[in-house]
Amino acid sequence: MRSNLIAGEWVNGTAVPNINPSDTSDVIGEFASGTAQDATDAIAAARAAFDTWQFSAPLERHAILSKTAAELMARRDELGELLAREEGKTRAEATAEVGRAAQIFDFFAGEALRLTGEVGASTRPGVEVAVTREPVGVVGLITPWNFPIAIPAWKIAPALAHGNTVVFKPASLVPASAHALVDILHRAGAPAGTVNLVMGPGRSVGQSLIEGDLDAISFTGSTGTGALIAAESAKRMRRCQLEMGGKNPMVVLDDADLDMAVRVCLDGAYFSTGQRCTASSRLIVTEGIHDRFVAALGEAIAGLNVGHALHEGTQIGPVVDQGQLDSNLAYVAQGEAEGAMRQIGGEVLNRDTAGFFQRPALFTGCTNDMTIAREEIFGPVAAVIRVRDYDEALHVANDTPFGLTSGICTRNLKHASDFRRKSQAGMVTVNLPTAGVDFHTPFGGRKGSSFGPREQGAYAREFYSSIKTAYINAG
């Protein structure tokens, strides 16, 4: 059994099997499910370790993060296969995710050495002013199942680079990737208590973290849980960072290159089985290109190979588990009940192995007030909304409680520039899929998608460090 890591020691818990969604007969391993007390102990361990770690030398932090990056990159094929087995994304996508995690650790190894601050004169003669950054303290990290090694990487790496200690709770569906990452950090020399892993259910481990003695908490997951964390953090005067999903629009204008628009929408809506918070699940298409676009996209969907994540030629893997599959099917039924037309897909598929396979679904005749156009489905389901022109497309794109990412396909520079400026989203793409972002740039949205400072890149320091202003009498 793979154990939790608390205060530098591997701690057992209740053994829970980890099941492959491509083949439910494949048990990847048994992983310890911790308790609320384990979470409390981990917070205490991180608190004790912070006393020393906050004053650690930049080169020490750099060395640990660099070693972690190097091992992730060296083992990306092995760890990519492990990730594909437990989460269900294709081998190619999973291997690329491990590579991205390595790049993230490498970037923040550099950030550990990139010391920033200001020194200047006061308005008072003979007084010097120094502005420096210091670590926040003990940070709780709660991550989702859809990117089980990249998202933990982009939270853990900046936390450590800026001198914080960590209590990490991964989603219960993906313990293998989390355990592998923490094991690498542990062997890379992370001192006892600086990185603590507590696997287990949200109702016990997660709740204990939310209500625990943390200085900050970074969360990626559902809107409901995010709202709970915000409320609890406000009561404790504790900083929080929340990423809570999206219902992302992709606008396709009459002047778009049709082949490119189809590729962009196919990737954005359906790759990774649509299980991305950046997925473009609302396709807003002007009437001049609508019919040709729907026909071409439907043909592309029909040609997708849905199957076992590790099999050669698979383009779309399984849904992560039975619960998510049931949710997807309920949304498909809801879409039809509300009058949307299912052009293709949505049904369960049988393959050589028992798994959670679903054909990607495309709905047309949708309006922006339908459930499938308002709520995040988190599966391979996209709704096409027909509009008259660019102005209506922009209005519909912004008519959502979310604001993570958005995109437009057009050859018109004026419309591209106007959309980039007026789109109410934290990230905008032009002639590119909404899904797929760089590791060195800020990640985050607006409205109900995000709360708090941005993640990733140099902007991560805004969450993981605090500013100190010192006045020195130089006389």
Side-chain angles (χ1 to χ4, degrees), residues 237-467:
M237 300 295 286
R238 174 184 66 196
R239 65 173 63 186
C240 64
Q241 179 186 63
L242 312 173
E243 293 296 339
M244 299 170 289
K247 193 65 180 175
N248 309 296
M250 173 58 72
V251 171
V252 179
L253 297 184
D254 288 350
D255 61 23
D257 179 295
L258 180 61
D259 291 340
M260 182 200 66
V262 169
R263 290 195 303 271
V264 163
C265 292
L266 193 72
D267 181 321
Y270 300 115
F271 285 9
S272 296
T273 322
Q275 296 176 152
R276 302 184 283 197
C277 57
T278 53
S280 43
S281 55
R282 288 189 300 145
L283 308 179
I284 302 167
V285 186
T286 50
E287 53 192 12
I289 198 174
H290 177 277
D291 292 351
R292 290 182 293 130
F293 171 81
V294 168
L297 182 58
E299 184 178 348
I301 292 169
L304 289 172
N305 185 354
V306 181
H308 194 296
L310 296 177
H311 287 180
E312 188 71 27
T314 294
Q315 295 168 288
I316 305 292
V319 172
V320 71
D321 71 349
Q322 186 65 54
Q324 185 63 49
L325 179 59
D326 290 343
S327 176
N328 294 351
L329 295 173
Y331 275 112
V332 168
Q334 181 74 14
E336 291 183 309
E338 293 183 6
M341 294 174 287
R342 180 154 49 123
Q343 293 292 123
I344 187 173
E347 71 274 16
V348 173
L349 298 174
N350 294 318
R351 292 295 182 257
D352 293 339
T353 54
F356 309 112
F357 304 104
Q358 181 181 21
R359 190 182 303 282
L362 180 68
F363 281 91
T364 59
C366 302
T367 59
N368 204 43
D369 59 353
M370 290 180 175
T371 301
I372 58 171
R374 304 303 293 177
E375 298 181 7
E376 185 178 37
I377 298 173
F378 223 67
V381 181
V384 177
I385 302 170
R386 185 173 187 151
V387 294
R388 292 183 305 276
D389 53 22
Y390 169 73
D391 289 335
E392 185 180 4
L394 176 64
H395 172 75
V396 172
N398 286 335
D399 182 15
T400 172
F402 296 101
L404 182 55
T405 187
S406 67
I408 187 169
C409 290
T410 181
R411 289 187 256 200
N412 186 306
L413 181 59
K414 176 183 175 181
H415 286 151
S417 179
D418 189 72
F419 185 82
R420 183 172 65 89
R421 186 171 64 254
K422 295 180 180 177
S423 173
Q424 296 171 3
M427 298 178 288
V428 180
T429 64
V430 178
N431 296 326
L432 289 166
T434 54
V437 295
D438 293 339
F439 63 87
H440 66 298
T441 60
F443 179 96
R446 296 166 59 176
K447 299 192 277 190
S449 288
S450 303
F451 180 84
R454 291 289 192 259
E455 298 198 86
Q456 296 203 111
Y459 287 82
R461 72 165 67 97
E462 302 304 325
F463 180 73
Y464 291 103
S465 67
S466 59
I467 290 185

Side-chain angles (χ1 to χ4, degrees), residues 167-190:
V167 180
F168 168 38
K169 183 219 164 317
S172 296
L173 285 172
V174 287
S177 296
H179 189 277
L181 176 59
V182 170
D183 177 61
I184 291 171
L185 278 160
H186 180 59
R187 289 185 292 98

Side-chain angles (χ1 to χ4, degrees), residues 121-175:
S122 169
T123 56
R124 292 165 288 176
V127 175
E128 186 179 85
V129 181
V131 180
T132 55
R133 287 185 176 271
E134 297 186 343
V136 173
V138 178
V139 183
L141 307 176
I142 302 176
T143 62
W145 49 260
N146 61 325
F147 285 89
I149 202 162
I151 291 180
W154 83 45
K155 293 181 188 292
I156 294 173
L160 296 179
H162 292 290
N164 303 281
T165 55
V166 165
V167 180
F168 168 38
K169 183 219 164 317
S172 296
L173 285 172
V174 287

